Amino acid sequence: EAQVTQNPRYLITVTGKKLTVTCSQNMNHEYMSWYRQDPGLGLRQIYYSMNVEVTDKGDVPEGYKVSRKEKRNFPLILESPSPNQTSLYFCASSLGRAGIQYFGAGTRLSVL
Amino acid sequence: GQNIDQPTEMTATEGAIVQINCTYQTSGFNGLFWYQQHAGEAPTFLSYNVLDGLEEKGRFSSFLSRSKGYSYLLLKELQMKDSASYLCAVKIGAWSAAGNKLTFGGGTRVLVKP
């Protein structure tokens, strides 16, 4: 089944404790992207990538890192999480340069 | 920068028609998407417009006017299951080796009443 898989689905952590949210797709898509969704602010793009080792900043990249060492995986790294990064995070992938996005189920992160 | 505006909330009756407007001000416009998102779920693709005009897909249609920076999503014969948020997203065409940027509006929550 074609899908985008994020893990974990739910995470509660404390300020400053490094964490990684994984994202994997099995559709051989070139484009992958991370978003955060907050009430009243909608979906905001954090980082995106068109290919292995090629990434670029979205609208809200501060406090996040990504890597694209393999085409299928695009992990999101929070080196030192802060409470303002409490949010619902979505990973997405698409064929080509930001085509139709297929979203993962989401990761709900709480930073205390 | 980019600015995308949609109404926050709309209410309509089952069987009726609802039109959700989206206006945008961006540099390097390269296409507009509409997504549907049910509460607690991931967004799913509804439509894509890159040229002016109307795209029809069953009960859903989407219109784009590039010169006016305007799009709408039309939902006909509303059903209870159409209660969801509808997200407008603009693809920014500035070239980057990493691909294109996508900017979403805040979303419009549609409530369908019996």
Side-chain angles (χ1 to χ4, degrees), chain A residues 83-98:
Chain A
N84 65 12
Q85 292 179 297
T86 292
S87 188
L88 176 59
Y89 291 86
F90 287 103
C91 178
S93 74
S94 69
L95 202 57
R97 302 175 71 81

Side-chain angles (χ1 to χ4, degrees), chain B residues 33-76:
Chain B
F33 295 90
W34 284 97
Y35 286 85
Q36 179 189 59
Q37 186 178 25
H38 285 100
E41 297 182 11
T44 55
F45 169 77
L46 286 178
S47 71
Y48 176 61
N49 295 70
V50 63
L51 299 175
D52 286 358
L54 190 68
E55 294 280 343
E56 297 189 83
K57 261 191 194 180
R59 294 189 297 114
F60 294 172
S61 304
S62 58
F63 171 83
L64 175 68
S65 169
R66 295 178 65 138
S67 61
K68 294 182 179 174
Y70 168 70
S71 173
Y72 68 73
L73 179 70
L74 197 68
L75 284 62
K76 300 179 225 173

